[in-house]
Each structure stands twice: as C-alpha cells, then as structure tokens.
Amino acid sequence: MDASMDTERTFGNHGIVPSLGVIYWRTDPPNPDTEALVMYRIFPNVVTGLRLAMAIVVLVLMSCGDAISVTSLYLDTVLVLFVVAMLTDWVDGYLARKLNAISQFGRMLDPFVDKVLICGLFILLSGPEWGGRPSESPAFQNTSGVPAWLATIIVIRELLVSMLRGFGEAGGFDYSARFLGKMKLCTQTGAVVVILLVMGHLADRRWALLIRDAGLLITLAITILSSAPYLKMTASRLWGERRPSG
C-alpha cells in the first residue's frame, strides 16, 4: 500500500495530507445531490445579502435627497424598496426554517442587515435634510418628525443588544429574537412607512401628522422595552457565573 494513503484524510471533494500540509482537489466526480443541498442551504443567506444591497440603495437615495427638493414619486420609490427589503426579512427566515438551514452566520447576518437599514434611516430622517425646523423655514413643513434624541435612543438600543447577543452567544446561549424584538422591528418598519407616506402625500393633513407622531412614540416605547429580555438573560448568566458552586 502507498505510504501516502495512511496519512490521507478527505473531506467533501478535497484531500488533505497532514504530513505535507497539502490540500488538493480530488479527481472523483462530485455528488450532484450534495452540491444541490449546499446551494439550497445557503439560499437564505443569499436573500439576506440581497436585502443588504437594497438597504444600501435606500440609504443612498435618502442621502441624495432632502425634504425640499424631492418629489412624491421619489419618496414612493424609496418606500417600495424599503417595504420589499423588509419583506425579504420574513422570506429568508421562512426559507432557513423550511430548508433546515439555520446557521450561526445567518443568525448574525440577519439582524445586522436590519440594523443597517433601520438605524441608517432613522439617523437620516432626524438629520437637517429631512428633519429640519419648521419654525426656521416654511419650506421645511414637509419634515419627517423624527427628533435626533429618538434616533439616538434607537441606535443605542441596537448597539446594546448587539453587544449582549455577541456576549451571550459566544458562551453558547440562545439570544435569538424574542417576541418583543420582533414587535420592535414591526413597529419601526411601520413608523418608517408612515413617515414616508406623510412626507410624500399627507404633509398638510393634521390627522396624518398626529398618527405619525403617535406611531413614533409607540415605536420608542417598544424599542426600549424590547431590550429587557436581553438584559435579563445577560444578568442571569453573569449571576450564574459568579454564584459559588457546591
């Protein structure tokens, strides 16, 4: 028997010779069923990647416009792209469960993309191009209604939960989204939809402005409350680590 056969270990379509540190491509034919399974299982992450691309487009469009110069059609385009992007959040989750393709990478990528889109939009909507001050310029009556302090709280919450989730999952704990976390994302999405609709079509309707402002307050409350489960889980873990054994 060839001596190299004793040291050869194979994985998939690759061979490894540890004694030489060589990785080579095997000559045996690939398994179509295995390759198809791998492609199916990465598909949810591909959908998430598409959502990230759409998020970037939405943020670029919002960065290039302002409350004075944009048209209703411009805002409607941003709205459609935003809604499609958020719908893919449900699609990739459904595919991951259906194909049994839930992975650690996907669990990290999915909330990251959500945070990029939501935090980016609230930061832009609270800025001078979209937030403005109606008392200073009549042209800024068509504003987002998002104060800078509200956007700051939303960003702080997302950074805090990301830190806690990274800390928890590094220790093998399940920090996947809870009910309040999912409700938080729904209210934030709804708030952005209402803001874009009001700026594009209903800026002169007082009832629409009241609905927008009420939605922002509800979004703020749920955003703050949704951090409680993560704080509780982290506190329980820290308490368990410090508690003496025996």
Side-chain angles (χ1 to χ4, degrees), residues 19-43:
S19 59
L20 300 177
V22 176
I23 300 176
Y24 62 94
W25 189 260
R26 290 184 60 183
T27 58
D28 55 317
N31 187 334
D33 294 336
T34 302
E35 292 187 350
L37 180 60
V38 170
M39 291 300 297
Y40 279 129
R41 289 193 170 181
I42 68 172
F43 193 66

Side-chain angles (χ1 to χ4, degrees), residues 11 76 104 116 127 138-139 156 158 196 223 246:
F11 180 79
D76 289 343
Q104 186 72 14
V116 168
I156 290 174
E158 300 300 342
L196 293 175
T223 296

